[in-house]
Amino acid sequence: MAVKLNGNYQNLEESYLFAEIARRIRKWQADHPDKAEQLIRMGIGDVTRPLPEAVVNAMVSASQELGRAESFRGYGPEQGYDFLKEAIQRYYARYAVELDLHEIFISDGAKSDLGNILDLFDKDNVVMVTDPVYPVYVDTNQMDGRKIVFKTASEENGFLPMPAKEDHADLIYLCSPNNPTGAVYDREMLKQWVAFARENHAVILFDAAYECFVTGDLPHSIYEIPGAKEVAIEFCSFSKKAGFTGTRCGYTIVPKELVIDGIPVNPMWLRRQTTKFNGVSYVTQRGAEAVFTAEGEKQIQENIDYYRENAAIITDTLDELGIYYTGGKNSPYIWLKCPGNLDSWSFFDKLLNEACVVGTPGAGFGKAGESFFRLTAFSTHENTREAMRRFKELCK
Ligand code: PLP
């Protein structure tokens, strides 16, 4: 006998997208040393605004607390401190969603939990994802060898695919507002997904990482839909909301009502977390708590508005040029149809070579992204304006 590896890793596709973008940029820089300074990156999914002052102050005072014998804390609860869970509970109450504190689990970010949640589900389950898709949903399931079916998002369905009677899936990933398309499901559409999950005894894994960009009457949480608590787990993040991409904090909601074959899922997740995770640092959780204070909310809103203005600069340009796109209004992502019927890598090269602007080719998110392109609103106003001025020149 000899040790055996998880063979599913051999079936994973290379994480080719960002490596290939970096390779093409390096080549371009080598070929055009005189133009290197003109490069504008509009492909980044990372935020650029610094942490809000309220968050920084809360983290400084939490650190000082830990530095004094009388207020030092060691291991905290694996599932998070009540002070942060209570702040999240109040946030959900604004959308008329009632959560029990035991349903809220604090983590080091949505990405970890999106992968870790699969510990609770058998490898025989069929997984449904949209195409294009945030690649983490696909790769984490491929690592376990699950069967994945793709639901095509396209111009015809506004990049918001809906379930059909003949569809079959046990685990369904929905991301709204969506990465990469920026499209957002409305209440009626989410109702249909919840009904589908209930009829098919499926579970929806709802990724709400971009909920803070939602405006108007669009849902922030799947639990705004009646009956969703029985069929959905929700993942959320402080990354884009409050600039925590490097600080790391998120949360997952596992409702008590989610019961499969008579077994409640919430205690399984608690068992999983208390066994395999030792909690998020006290300092980070105090910083996340400050996100929900009046001062924190005001400062965070300023940052979100800053990104929204960038999104508007991009969508105004696309409107002017008559280019089809989704996103931008309730999302930091703008998903546009490549001008001139180009495929997404050809448009990437054209934009880089002729405008010195970098975006993300849609093909990197799935087959259905082949002739689409993602721009993000996370740059500065100055760079966004300049990039769109050059974009307009290129597409005139
Ligand atoms: N979900 C989606 C759709 C994302 O785009 C991202 C990050 O880009 C994440 C989850 C990861 O969030 P976190 O930084 O909390 O791990």
Side-chain angles (χ1 to χ4, degrees):
M1 289 293 276
V3 65
K4 290 196 185 79
L5 291 172
N6 178 351
N8 294 314
Y9 276 68
Q10 310 315 313
N11 302 330
L12 291 173
E13 294 210 5
E14 275 306 304
S15 102
Y16 152 87
L17 177 64
F18 290 100
E20 178 59 17
I21 290 175
R23 191 191 67 76
R24 291 193 192 205
I25 294 174
R26 273 197 308 275
K27 180 171 183 317
W28 177 85
Q29 281 167 331
D31 292 347
H32 306 276
D34 51 317
K35 286 191 182 168
E37 277 189 11
Q38 293 176 37
L39 190 76
I40 300 180
R41 293 176 194 267
M42 299 284 288
I44 45 165
D46 199 353
V47 293
T48 50
R49 309 287 299 159
L51 285 177
E53 204 185 328
V55 169
V56 174
N57 291 341
M59 290 174 76
V60 167
S61 76
S63 305
Q64 286 165 344
E65 246 182 81
L66 296 185
R68 289 189 296 268
E70 66 278 14
S71 50
F72 171 74
R73 293 173 191 240
Y75 288 123
E78 292 92 339
Q79 63 276 33
Y81 283 104
D82 277 357
F83 62 77
L84 178 54
K85 295 204 281 181
E86 282 160 9
I88 292 167
Q89 188 184 44
R90 287 192 294 273
Y91 182 68
Y92 273 76
R94 287 187 209 172
Y95 306 112
V97 174
E98 264 182 54
L99 293 180
D100 190 288
L101 288 190
H102 298 299
E103 296 176 311
I104 305 169
F105 294 83
I106 309 302
S107 74
D108 62 343
K111 191 178 188 175
S112 322
D113 278 5
L114 281 160
N116 294 336
I117 200 76
L118 295 172
D119 273 10
L120 310 190
F121 296 97
D122 195 276
K123 299 190 174 29
D124 272 349
N125 287 300
V126 175
V127 173
M128 180 186 275
V129 299
T130 58
D131 173 11
V133 63
Y134 175 53
V136 170
Y137 312 152
V138 173
D139 291 357
T140 50
N141 278 290
Q142 280 180 343
M143 286 172 180
D144 283 350
R146 280 190 198 84
K147 182 182 171 197
I148 302 173
V149 294
F150 291 87
K151 193 84 191 145
T152 305
S154 62
E155 220 175 316
E156 286 69 44
N157 56 31
F159 284 90
L160 293 167
M162 297 303 299
K165 269 208 165 53
E166 62 277 14
D167 285 338
H168 170 70
D170 305 305
L171 286 171
I172 302 163
Y173 286 83
L174 296 180
C175 177
S176 178
N178 190 270
N179 178 15
T181 71
V184 189
Y185 282 113
D186 66 21
R187 241 165 259 284
E188 273 314 305
M189 291 166 149
L190 284 187
K191 263 187 204 163
Q192 287 182 46
W193 275 110
V194 167
F196 177 84
R198 292 176 70 94
E199 275 159 33
N200 290 274
H201 305 287
V203 169
I204 296 174
L205 302 175
F206 191 78
D207 187 343
Y210 298 95
E211 64 76 27
C212 62
F213 287 91
V214 160
T215 56
D217 187 41
L218 292 164
H220 286 250
S221 161
I222 185 102
Y223 304 124
E224 291 177 55
I225 309 304
K229 276 192 156 188
E230 282 144 49
V231 291
I233 296 173
E234 182 160 295
F235 303 85
C236 204
S237 169
F238 291 97
S239 285
K240 310 299 156 83
K241 184 184 185 84
F244 273 55
T245 49
T247 307
R248 309 304 305 144
C249 197
Y251 54 90
T252 291
I253 313 292
V254 186
K256 284 180 302 186
E257 290 89 333
L258 181 61
V259 178
I260 296 167
D261 288 338
I263 301 171
V265 177
N266 178 292
M268 283 177 71
W269 181 242
L270 178 65
R271 188 74 170 87
R272 193 265 170 218
Q273 291 300 79
T274 49
T275 304
K276 293 195 184 180
F277 184 58
N278 247 339
V280 176
S281 83
Y282 175 69
V283 173
T284 300
Q285 291 191 61
R286 280 294 184 199
E289 180 194 23
V291 166
F292 298 102
T293 58
E295 200 195 357
E297 287 211 334
K298 187 173 155 285
Q299 293 163 2
I300 281 150
Q301 202 49 51
E302 280 165 15
N303 285 348
I304 293 172
D305 288 346
Y306 185 93
Y307 298 133
R308 278 217 181 94
E309 271 180 53
N310 285 343
I313 294 169
I314 300 171
T315 54
D316 284 353
T317 309
L318 298 177
D319 285 338
E320 213 179 308
L321 293 167
I323 293 173
Y324 173 88
Y325 65 91
T326 53
K329 306 272 189 288
N330 295 287
S331 154
Y333 297 122
I334 295 93
W335 179 252
L336 59 112
K337 191 165 189 175
C338 297
N341 284 328
L342 290 178
D343 67 78
S344 65
W345 278 110
S346 303
F347 185 64
F348 173 91
D349 288 336
K350 187 176 166 73
L351 197 61
L352 176 60
N353 287 318
E354 296 175 36
C356 312
V357 171
V358 176
T360 313
F365 300 100
K367 276 201 195 75
E370 203 59 67
S371 54
F372 286 82
F373 202 76
R374 192 189 76 174
L375 294 177
T376 79
F378 290 127
S379 193
T380 59
H381 284 342
E382 297 69 29
N383 278 349
T384 307
R385 261 190 225 103
E386 176 58 17
M388 294 323 284
R389 188 192 65 73
R390 295 185 205 162
F391 188 102
K392 209 154 58 181
E393 281 296 305
L394 189 74
C395 299
K396 262 205 308 225

